[in-house]
């Protein structure tokens, strides 16, 4: 019993220490299959454009999401039952699903607009990612968007989305 208690304390201490170090160095760990599983670092760069990797929050989710920017200022975005169109081009693997890869229900965020300054559409690289197809566009200020760079990955994942 004492060994189990000591092991639990040791694990809790290690997790807390890693959390403090990660926060201090702006590290983000991605464990989802939406993007490559691995370690990312937040960079001090507010100039975000297409193909950048970002972390952000959305109002009804408590955790940060990691996605790729697929549309930015002045891009025309249409999300309909056929998929996602950016500047009239259908993005490959952008099909709309009714359930995610874990069986949770999804509701598409149908859209037809030109993005304004500071507004982005972000998608995951996995075909069944929970992304802008289901929550719409995000805004620099409202969603606390931060650019990240990939440090390393430890896994490959399903079907990549090509842009």
């Amino acid at each position: 019993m004492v060994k189990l208690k000591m092991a639990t304390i040791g694990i809790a201490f290690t997790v807390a220490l890693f959390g403090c170090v990660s926060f201090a160095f702006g590290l983000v760990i991605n464990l989802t299959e939406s993007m490559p599983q691995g370690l990312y670092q937040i960079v001090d760069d507010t100039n975000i454009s297409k193909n950048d990797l970002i972390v952000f929050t959305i109002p009804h989710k408590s955790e940060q999401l990691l996605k790729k920017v697929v549309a930015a200022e002045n891009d025309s975005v249409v999300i309909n039952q056929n998929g996602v169109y950016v500047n009239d081009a259908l993005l490959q693997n952008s099909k709309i699903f009714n359930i995610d890869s874990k069986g949770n229900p999804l509701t598409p965020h149908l859209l037809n607009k030109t993005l304004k300054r500071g507004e982005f559409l972000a998608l995951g690289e996995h075909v069944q990612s929970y992304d802008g197809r289901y929550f719409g566009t995000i805004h620099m200020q409202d969603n606390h968007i931060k650019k990240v760079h990939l440090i390393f990955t430890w896994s490959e994942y399903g079907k990549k989305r090509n842009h």
Side-chain angles (χ1 to χ4, degrees):
M1 187 69 153
V2 172
K3 287 183 181 182
L4 179 61
K5 193 174 192 178
M6 292 303 289
T8 303
I9 291 170
I11 291 170
F13 177 76
T14 303
V15 168
L17 180 63
F18 185 75
C20 291
V21 170
S22 296
F23 180 77
F25 291 100
L27 299 177
V28 175
I29 299 171
N30 179 50
L31 300 174
T32 71
E33 293 184 6
S34 178
M35 296 292 289
Q37 294 177 338
L39 187 64
Y40 297 77
Q41 184 169 30
I42 296 172
V43 294
D44 189 20
D45 183 357
T46 57
N47 184 23
I48 295 173
S49 56
K50 279 188 197 177
N51 297 314
D52 283 345
L53 300 176
I54 57 173
V55 293
F56 57 94
T57 57
I58 55 175
H60 57 280
K61 289 279 190 180
S62 57
E63 75 270 11
Q64 283 189 324
L65 299 178
L66 169 71
K67 305 293 176 195
K68 182 185 235 178
V69 175
V70 297
E73 183 178 1
N74 296 322
D75 284 331
S76 168
V77 174
V78 174
I79 301 174
N80 63 30
Q81 290 302 325
N82 297 321
V84 178
Y85 296 81
V86 175
N87 299 324
D88 298 321
L90 177 63
L91 298 183
Q92 191 173 10
N93 297 323
S94 66
K95 177 182 175 181
I96 302 295
F97 292 89
N98 294 323
I99 57 171
D100 67 13
S101 59
K102 295 178 182 173
N104 299 312
L106 294 170
T107 303
H109 186 95
L110 304 180
L111 188 67
N112 186 352
K113 71 183 290 187
T114 299
L115 301 187
K116 298 176 182 152
R117 183 181 180 129
E119 189 175 22
F120 307 97
L121 180 67
L123 301 180
E125 291 192 353
H126 189 279
V127 68
Q128 282 187 274
S129 172
Y130 177 72
D131 54 31
R133 294 174 288 177
Y134 309 104
F135 54 76
T137 60
I138 54 175
H139 195 276
M140 192 71 181
Q141 302 305 323
D142 299 338
N143 300 100
H144 311 289
I145 300 170
K146 295 177 184 168
K147 186 189 280 190
V148 297
H149 285 142
L150 174 65
I151 296 175
F152 71 89
T153 64
W154 56 75
S155 71
E156 287 297 317
Y157 51 96
K159 297 177 184 174
K160 286 186 179 179
R161 180 187 319 281
N162 297 318
H163 303 285

